[in-house]
Amino acid sequence: MEFRGLGFVPLFIALWCTAWVVVSYTLTVIYGHAPLLMYISQTGNYYPENITFKIGFLGMSNATLVLMLLQYNFILLHAEAFGARQPMIQRILLAMGITSCIGTAVMSVFETDFYPVTHRVGAFCAFACGCVYNLWQAILLYEVPGIRRAICHIRMVSSAMAFIGVITFIGCRVSVYTKLCTEDYEKIIEIISISTEWLMLLLILIQLVTCFQPMQHLSLTVSRKGYTICKRENQDSAV
């Protein structure tokens, strides 16, 4: 069985992520478990929205891991456009990507209200490692032949903004936990933190959409002997 063009993978992840976030947020508001302006993690603290929260995050974690493996193969298949050290760098980035996916899974299983430390460690690994991974891959995309400049620019801007968002979010949370900000400014810091988290989610969705064209350049062949990922022969129809 052959799949010519794997652009459906990032689109599926984007639709999956949007669906479970909307459902979890709606249920949380309906049952009054959190205010309208809430952290994403607050949609997973209570029943029944914690079910969609866990299923959504775990599904996203596994699907994102598949996408990262495809991106790893995608870059290696275009290794001639990069230096000799690129395979080693890609292994390091893949390790960071796997760490991000594990952090996402941990964040979904351990609710913030009941396991705050574990949840925050998982969230830090998910956001920090994921943003570094996406930013580096966005830089490399400029060197890959056949990719539209507009796609490269959108992915770079969204990845850079997400990276800045992570730094802003971590800075806000540290200032609250360590009491560096006064009580008068704590509410403002909370609003900035929540807004930044939702903005990062939007940027992740944009990055997923920009992965469509690059993944269309891949072909997947599955047989009893295993699977093979290669460049798609008909590049014109993949763009």
Side-chain angles (χ1 to χ4, degrees):
M1 181 182 297
E2 183 180 7
F3 297 92
R4 296 185 177 182
L6 303 179
F8 66 90
V9 175
L11 292 185
F12 169 79
I13 299 174
L15 290 173
W16 175 275
C17 182
T18 302
W20 74 257
V21 167
V22 170
V23 172
S24 297
Y25 179 86
T26 302
L27 289 174
T28 302
V29 172
I30 290 176
Y31 285 96
H33 293 157
L36 289 175
L37 185 62
M38 69 181 85
Y39 289 102
I40 298 174
S41 57
Q42 286 182 281
T43 64
N45 287 335
Y46 301 99
Y47 179 86
E49 62 269 21
N50 61 348
I51 297 177
T52 58
F53 180 86
K54 286 183 172 63
I55 294 176
F57 255 130
L58 289 174
M60 182 179 176
S61 175
N62 286 282
T64 302
L65 179 58
V66 172
L67 178 60
M68 288 178 174
L69 290 172
L70 292 177
Q71 289 178 325
Y72 172 80
N73 284 275
F74 175 77
I75 295 297
L76 293 186
L77 287 171
H78 295 84
E80 67 276 2
F82 309 106
R85 295 183 178 180
Q86 193 54 226
M88 180 183 67
I89 295 175
Q90 282 301 310
R91 293 188 187 97
I92 296 174
L93 289 174
L94 182 60
M96 294 186 67
I98 293 174
T99 302
S100 174
C101 292
I102 294 174
T104 301
V106 170
M107 182 172 56
S108 67
V109 173
F110 297 94
E111 297 91 340
T112 180
D113 278 3
F114 307 109
Y115 309 95
V117 176
T118 305
H119 179 89
R120 288 165 188 161
V121 171
F124 176 81
C125 293
F127 287 130
C129 293
C131 283
V132 172
Y133 172 89
N134 287 325
L135 182 59
W136 189 267
Q137 298 292 32
I139 295 172
L140 293 180
L141 196 63
Y142 281 96
E143 303 299 326
V144 178
I147 305 299
R148 295 172 182 167
R149 294 292 94 178
I151 296 295
C152 295
H153 296 333
I154 294 173
R155 189 166 176 180
M156 173 59 72
V157 171
S158 60
S159 299
M161 289 181 63
F163 184 80
I164 296 173
V166 167
I167 297 176
T168 303
F169 181 82
I170 293 175
C172 289
R173 300 317 301 158
V174 169
S175 66
V176 172
Y177 297 146
T178 57
K179 303 299 181 182
L180 292 178
C181 62
T182 62
E183 293 183 0
D184 295 335
Y185 289 98
E186 187 170 335
K187 186 63 177 179
I188 298 176
I189 295 297
E190 285 288 333
I191 294 175
I192 294 174
S193 299
I194 295 173
S195 301
T196 302
E197 188 178 60
W198 283 98
L199 176 61
M200 285 191 292
L201 176 62
L202 176 61
L203 293 171
I204 290 173
L205 293 176
I206 293 174
Q207 291 168 19
L208 287 170
V209 174
T210 61
C211 288
F212 173 79
Q213 193 208 352
M215 290 300 100
Q216 281 295 90
H217 286 255
L218 291 181
S219 178
L220 173 65
T221 303
V222 181
S223 64
R224 294 181 180 179
K225 297 181 180 179
Y227 67 92
T228 303
I229 299 175
C230 59
K231 292 182 182 179
R232 187 176 178 184
E233 294 182 1
N234 189 354
Q235 294 288 324
D236 294 335
S237 63
V239 177

